[in-house]
Amino acid sequence: MASKYDRIAATMRAQIRGGVLKPGDKLPPETELVAKHHVSLSTLRRALEVLEAEGLIEKRHGTGNFVRTMRQRINRTNDRYQWEKNQVWAPEEERRSEGPAERDTGLPNDDFMFEADYEDIAADSGLAKVFNLPEGTRLLRRVYKTRKRTESAPLGIGTSYIPCDYISANPDLLDVDNEPWPGGTQHQLSTVGIELDHIIDEVIARPATTDEVEELDLTPGTTVVCLRKISVDTQGRVVEVNDVIWPGDRIMLTYRTKLEPWKR
Amino acid sequence: MASKYDRIAATMRAQIRGGVLKPGDKLPPETELVAKHHVSLSTLRRALEVLEAEGLIEKRHGTGNFVRTMRQRINRTNDRYQWEKNQVWAPEEERRSEGPAERDTGLPNDDFMFEADYEDIAADSGLAKVFNLPEGTRLLRRVYKTRKRTESAPLGIGTSYIPCDYISANPDLLDVDNEPWPGGTQHQLSTVGIELDHIIDEVIARPATTDEVEELDLTPGTTVVCLRKISVDTQGRVVEVNDVIWPGDRIMLTYRTKLEPWKR
DNA sequence: GAGTGGTCTAGACCACTGT
DNA sequence: CAGTGGTCTAGACCACTCC
């Protein structure tokens, strides 16, 4: 803990936190820092790796090392769930006015695009358990990618599962060409008579897999936030499971829990 | 991306995911892996760093490298908020039966200890804004550390802020010696006539700071989950702000959002 | 003390980014 | 092409763990 690279990292960390180095600033070339700190290149680079892992600097191959500017976090609120439910009986034009990107992520629609992909799959043991249905049950899987118009990599990847039996009464729901469906998933479910009673969100953070590093254009070793949204209808059935993944530094989740008044 | 260390990491990653190497297994010594893959020690160690960042292996100085066994995540549910509110008017003995560690984290009390520390501080600009009170307002700050009895490092660190003015009517609340207070924060607030209307949780994930690495005994570069719990009373005042920090791999947050029935 | 991982060096050569 | 970061090597020596 009193290693050379630790001391160098501490020095530079203090400079960044103290404002000597400001967000966006370019650090001196590594060769220069080597001379300044009287260490070998590898040792210096080790120090920079520490700072990178802490999210304080960003390395750009061929360009330089930079003090990181904090990226704006998208705020996703559970208020949307009730709002979306209310929208179900709103006129179609009103439903259309909401962008599609937010359908399952609950993100604001400004500047967002999304892509969808439908597939028919068999429930594995994990999904079967969540739905409380037999393994092998046919599920409609929809993969969404939300993307800011100004960015190349998607902001988030969502995967929605719905048991085919629950929605087969309306063949339109099985057809990807009907995307984007105005009004979101709750409206889609309403066309087959399904009303949601409550939604359960399970949130975890974990290191990104190599696939996710690829798809979301992350630095290896960074973490993602995973949300599993479980929709339960008024009959107590789990009617949809939606797994969403975001880069950990791009998202904030907000949950409002209303409390019942005291009964004394 | 086709570097030697990437290929080695990919090979070993496949072995772990494929079950050739099982959780808890000791990897061959680094010198042995060097011979097997015909690379230098530094290159091999680079590959291991990648796997460590992905959470797949764990390095133990002087002992060896091991396939990581997934630690059980603690599940924290927002159901607790209503439950805690109901407890306020329960008899004291019933309130006492709940352990103190869960008071603000919402964690189960089995095998948990906690430590508290009280201090009187002035609100900085950030806190002043959340409370909607002037900068410099006196706040009671309470720092909690929850710790599993079987572990040395704390599981989580909580910091609670309450404006002193709101609770000065009951001097007991300002006294650390009254900890643990049976029934949790909502009961404490009830002694000065404060009833909560709703609670807002803001959840983010970010790399641990050096302080947090120290306090929570983390590997540098890992991430923490930060929860800001904002309690709003029936008068619309923010009466408590509680920041809690957990190691990212130890926690799952669960939120139940109840939906109102359709009114057609 | 044997075994194992952690730090550090000096230097070669490759790869990316911009002018 | 100049500037800058990324990969890789061979080898010395230190630090931790456990018997």
Side-chain angles (χ1 to χ4, degrees):
Chain A
M1 258 310 176
S3 45
K4 289 193 184 180
Y5 74 79
D6 258 324
R7 280 195 297 271
I8 296 171
T11 304
M12 300 183 68
R13 188 184 300 119
Q15 289 175 339
I16 293 171
R17 292 217 190 279
V20 182
L21 291 165
K22 293 178 196 54
D25 279 3
K26 185 177 175 182
L27 301 185
E30 298 183 348
T31 48
E32 203 172 300
L33 290 170
V34 160
K36 183 155 109 188
H37 291 101
H38 311 290
V39 290
S40 71
L41 180 58
S42 335
T43 301
L44 180 93
R45 284 176 55 75
R46 186 85 172 83
L48 294 178
E49 277 169 25
V50 170
L51 297 175
E52 191 189 21
E54 289 173 6
L56 292 174
I57 68 166
E58 185 184 342
K59 320 203 80 192
R60 292 191 213 142
H61 190 179
T63 310
N65 301 319
F66 297 81
V67 180
R68 202 142 174 248
T69 72
M70 266 304 149
R71 290 201 285 180
Q72 181 77 35
R73 285 178 194 265
I74 301 293
N75 189 358
R76 180 195 190 274
T77 309
N78 71 334
D79 289 346
R80 161 156 307 272
Y81 296 157
Q82 182 65 56
W83 182 89
E84 195 177 295
K85 180 160 180 176
N86 298 343
Q87 283 293 99
V88 166
W89 301 107
E92 176 164 346
E93 62 202 77
E94 189 177 331
R95 282 183 275 118
R96 274 197 194 284
S97 72
E98 276 291 317
E102 59 182 6
R103 48 188 321 104
D104 289 305
T105 56
L107 302 175
N109 61 346
D110 324 353
D111 305 320
F112 277 97
M113 312 171 53
F114 90 127
E115 300 162 18
D117 179 37
Y118 280 32
E119 200 171 345
D120 200 306
I121 65 157
D124 63 22
S125 64
L127 285 168
K129 195 172 171 188
V130 183
F131 280 111
N132 196 27
L133 289 171
E135 209 170 318
T137 303
R138 291 174 77 79
L139 302 175
L140 172 65
R141 183 178 71 187
R142 303 179 296 175
V143 179
Y144 298 95
K145 293 183 187 173
T146 43
R147 165 177 287 119
K148 272 194 142 174
R149 285 186 202 286
T150 52
E151 297 176 4
S152 59
L155 173 65
I157 302 173
T159 311
S160 160
Y161 302 92
I162 302 179
C164 294
D165 281 356
Y166 294 175
I167 53 172
S168 54
N170 182 356
D172 286 354
L173 296 181
L174 298 164
D175 186 355
V176 70
D177 292 335
N178 290 314
E179 289 288 348
W181 188 282
T185 300
Q186 287 201 55
H187 184 260
Q188 294 186 42
L189 293 170
S190 76
T191 66
V192 290
I194 293 177
E195 175 181 4
L196 295 191
D197 178 73
H198 64 274
I199 292 176
I200 293 173
D201 281 2
E202 293 174 348
V203 182
I204 64 168
R206 58 164 174 74
T209 65
T210 44
D211 291 346
E212 289 157 356
V213 166
E214 185 76 19
E215 284 200 275
L216 296 170
D217 192 25
L218 303 170
T219 333
T222 54
T223 81
V224 292
V225 168
C226 304
L227 165 67
R228 165 159 284 191
K229 179 182 123 199
I230 302 170
S231 300
V232 181
D233 76 356
T234 50
Q235 297 169 49
R237 297 183 306 184
V238 172
V239 292
E240 193 210 11
V241 171
N242 195 343
D243 291 319
V244 194
I245 295 171
W246 298 280
D249 63 342
R250 299 301 304 271
I251 189 82
M252 171 161 83
L253 301 173
T254 303
Y255 290 94
R256 187 179 193 278
T257 306
K258 171 72 179 160
L259 300 176
E260 298 297 318
W262 279 335
K263 298 162 196 146
R264 300 164 68 167
Chain B
M1 257 308 176
S3 44
K4 288 194 185 179
Y5 74 78
D6 259 325
R7 280 195 297 272
I8 296 170
T11 305
M12 300 182 70
R13 187 185 299 120
Q15 288 176 339
I16 293 171
R17 293 217 188 279
V20 182
L21 292 165
K22 293 179 197 51
D25 280 3
K26 185 177 176 185
L27 300 185
E30 299 184 347
T31 48
E32 202 171 302
L33 290 171
V34 159
K36 183 156 107 187
H37 290 101
H38 311 291
V39 290
S40 71
L41 180 58
S42 336
T43 302
L44 180 94
R45 285 175 56 74
R46 187 87 172 81
L48 295 178
E49 277 169 25
V50 171
L51 297 174
E52 190 189 22
E54 290 173 5
L56 292 174
I57 68 166
E58 185 184 341
K59 320 202 82 192
R60 293 191 213 143
H61 191 178
T63 311
N65 301 319
F66 297 81
V67 180
R68 201 140 176 251
T69 73
M70 267 303 148
R71 291 201 283 181
Q72 181 77 33
R73 286 177 194 266
I74 302 292
N75 189 358
R76 180 194 192 274
T77 308
N78 71 333
D79 289 346
R80 161 157 308 273
Y81 296 158
Q82 181 66 55
W83 182 89
E84 195 177 297
K85 180 159 181 176
N86 298 342
Q87 283 294 101
V88 166
W89 301 107
E92 175 163 348
E93 62 201 75
E94 191 177 330
R95 281 184 277 117
R96 276 198 192 284
S97 71
E98 277 290 316
E102 59 183 6
R103 47 189 320 104
D104 289 304
T105 57
L107 302 175
N109 62 345
D110 325 354
D111 304 319
F112 278 96
M113 312 172 52
F114 90 128
E115 299 162 17
D117 180 37
Y118 281 31
E119 199 170 346
D120 201 307
I121 65 158
D124 62 21
S125 64
L127 284 167
K129 196 173 170 189
V130 183
F131 280 110
N132 196 28
L133 290 170
E135 209 169 318
T137 303
R138 292 174 76 80
L139 303 175
L140 172 65
R141 183 177 72 186
R142 302 180 295 176
V143 179
Y144 297 96
K145 293 183 188 174
T146 41
R147 167 178 287 118
K148 273 195 138 171
R149 286 187 201 286
T150 52
E151 297 176 4
S152 59
L155 174 64
I157 303 172
T159 311
S160 160
Y161 302 93
I162 301 179
C164 295
D165 282 354
Y166 294 175
I167 53 173
S168 54
N170 182 355
D172 286 354
L173 297 181
L174 298 164
D175 186 356
V176 69
D177 292 336
N178 290 314
E179 289 287 349
W181 188 282
T185 299
Q186 287 200 56
H187 184 262
Q188 294 186 43
L189 294 171
S190 76
T191 65
V192 290
I194 292 177
E195 174 181 5
L196 295 192
D197 178 73
H198 63 273
I199 293 176
I200 293 173
D201 281 2
E202 294 174 347
V203 182
I204 64 168
R206 59 163 174 73
T209 65
T210 44
D211 291 346
E212 290 157 358
V213 165
E214 184 75 19
E215 284 201 276
L216 295 170
D217 191 26
L218 303 171
T219 331
T222 55
T223 82
V224 292
V225 168
C226 304
L227 165 66
R228 166 159 283 191
K229 179 181 121 198
I230 302 170
S231 299
V232 181
D233 76 356
T234 51
Q235 297 168 48
R237 297 183 306 184
V238 172
V239 293
E240 192 208 11
V241 171
N242 195 343
D243 292 319
V244 194
I245 295 171
W246 298 280
D249 64 342
R250 300 299 306 268
I251 189 81
M252 172 161 81
L253 301 173
T254 303
Y255 290 94
R256 186 177 194 279
T257 306
K258 171 73 178 162
L259 301 176
E260 297 297 319
W262 279 334
K263 297 160 197 152
R264 301 164 66 167

